[in-house]
Amino acid sequence: MDIEDYISINKKVLQIVGFYPTNKVRSFFCISCMFPIIIPQMIQIYQDWNDLSIVLEVSSVLFMILLGMSKALVCTVNSSNVEILINFLLTDFWQSAINNLFYGNLEKYAIQAKNITKGYLFLIFNVLLVFFTLPLIDIFILEYKGMLGNDSNHFPFMALYPDSFYKFPLYEIAYISQIIATSICGLLLLAIDTLIATAVIHTCGHFVTLQKSLNNLNKSCNLAYQLRYQQESSKKIIKNIKYQLMRNIKYHHIILRFCEIMEKNFSLILFLQTMSSSLIICLVGIQVSTSGLTDGTKSMKYFSYLIMALSQLLLFCFPGDQLIYQSSMVSKTVYSIEWYQTSVPIKSEVCMMILRSQKPSYITAGKFYVMHLENFNAV
């Protein structure tokens, strides 16, 4: 198992936006590329403040772009810690599982993380493609009907420009600037969101690997009990149990430490995501309830906003739910091992492991909102 087979897409996108390896010049360049669409959208909201439908439609997109920019700023400012986390995820953390006899259990979760990354990439690409092509389709239809006028030019995302920007060649320049800005925003979201999801899902795989390894200790305990009258064989097995137990305790400590690092680095990003997704869902809901779904173009936009907001939230809540479950299963696994069948003096170590694993690991949004499916349903 080579980790490059599972995280190649993540590494490539992180490199493009300058997060891994760290390139702050590239990161700030990506952030600055979003201003050509943010400023016209803010002007649009200011100009049409009394028109609720315009304010809601522009705000939905603006919140998503500001979310991408905020996440990028957090990662750029905290770039040293983020790079340490990624390095550990791709090297020592992965190797700690490979050194375990049951490392094959990690592969299922690594494949799951890779498929989620591919699915999220496909979702972002399709949402952007819909927005990029809708104005062109409208222009083509109007031209076909002979109704094309000077005011027929529209942009992928609603924003207010000077009158000269609706004519050649400034219209084409503004159109391309929106494509570039939103594409970079999509890359930033893809890089950060899939990094968090991948880190959490891989951690779930490590917890499962640990559980399988502990289950194997139970078999050794049973064997030691069966051979209790054969002193030489029993001593060898008991010695092996002590060795494997200490390895598993160390492995458990590594996993828990990585969970703490994730919580420290991702908590603020997840808080921004939760707040933004909640606002976008509310804004889209108001748009649908006030304007209905009679306009096909607007309906497609509303649906895209909603799917994107829900997918981003689910991307963190689903792995977060798995993390809570798999980490709590470690306690049950240790507790089920029949230690009494051996004479190994390990009571204190086992008790400490049970006590620590009784508190499930999790990731939070802002230290107070646990990311799991129950809270996803609540949102």
Side-chain angles (χ1 to χ4, degrees), residues 100-127:
N100 193 294
L101 292 174
F102 301 90
Y103 68 88
N105 293 280
L106 180 59
E107 184 176 20
K108 181 180 76 172
Y109 288 87
I111 293 172
Q112 182 185 17
K114 182 180 180 180
N115 290 335
I116 286 176
T117 300
K118 288 181 177 179
Y120 197 56
L121 171 63
F122 180 77
L123 173 66
I124 291 176
F125 175 79
N126 275 277
V127 169

Side-chain angles (χ1 to χ4, degrees), residues 6 12 16 40 82-83 86 88 96 135 141 149 156 158 195 199 204 212 219 241 260 291 313 316 318 348:
Y6 308 100
K12 188 63 180 177
I16 291 172
V82 172
E83 187 167 20
I86 298 173
F88 186 73
S96 63
I141 292 172
M158 186 179 290
L195 169 63
C204 294
K212 299 296 183 183
K219 295 178 182 178
I241 290 173
E260 292 173 2
S291 62
L313 204 56
F316 306 123
F318 174 68
S348 60

Side-chain angles (χ1 to χ4, degrees), residues 202-337:
H202 279 214
T203 306
C204 294
H206 283 281
F207 274 121
V208 173
T209 302
L210 176 62
Q211 293 168 35
K212 299 296 183 183
S213 185
L214 290 169
N215 281 327
N216 188 59
L217 276 179
N218 199 23
K219 295 178 182 178
S220 299
C221 289
N222 291 331
L223 184 59
Y225 181 74
Q226 293 170 10
L227 300 176
R228 62 188 181 279
Y229 300 117
Q230 302 176 24
Q231 292 186 0
E232 194 64 32
S233 299
S234 181
K235 284 181 180 179
K236 288 182 180 179
I237 296 172
I238 292 172
K239 184 179 180 181
N240 182 61
I241 290 173
K242 289 177 65 177
Y243 174 72
Q244 292 298 330
L245 175 64
M246 297 313 296
R247 281 175 61 91
N248 284 320
I249 289 174
K250 183 179 179 181
Y251 185 29
H252 188 218
H253 176 74
I254 291 171
I255 300 173
L256 294 176
R257 178 59 182 154
F258 187 74
C259 291
E260 292 173 2
I261 295 172
M262 283 197 301
E263 171 65 11
K264 180 181 177 182
N265 286 279
F266 297 149
S267 180
L268 178 57
I269 294 174
L270 293 175
F271 174 75
L272 295 171
Q273 179 64 64
T274 304
M275 293 299 295
S276 178
S277 292
S278 301
L279 285 170
I280 291 170
I281 291 168
C282 291
L283 291 171
V284 173
I286 294 172
Q287 289 178 78
V288 172
S289 63
T290 55
S291 62
L293 298 175
T294 54
D295 189 332
T297 301
K298 282 192 174 183
S299 300
M300 196 173 295
K301 287 183 177 181
Y302 297 158
F303 185 71
S304 298
Y305 296 151
L306 188 60
I307 290 296
M308 194 66 196
L310 290 172
S311 298
Q312 284 182 308
L313 204 56
L314 184 62
L315 186 68
F316 306 123
C317 289
F318 174 68
D321 201 71
Q322 284 190 318
L323 180 64
I324 293 171
Y325 175 75
Q326 296 299 348
S327 61
S328 62
M329 284 299 295
V330 174
S331 174
K332 297 179 181 179
T333 305
V334 180
Y335 191 74
S336 66
I337 297 175

Side-chain angles (χ1 to χ4, degrees), residues 135 138-139 142-143 146-155 158-159 161-168 171:
D138 287 342
I139 291 173
L142 290 173
E143 186 176 7
M147 300 169 59
L148 187 65
N150 294 330
D151 59 343
S152 301
N153 289 340
H154 302 290
F155 294 100
M158 186 179 290
Y161 296 92
D163 293 339
S164 58
F165 277 71
Y166 294 87
K167 300 176 183 178
F168 178 85
Y171 173 73

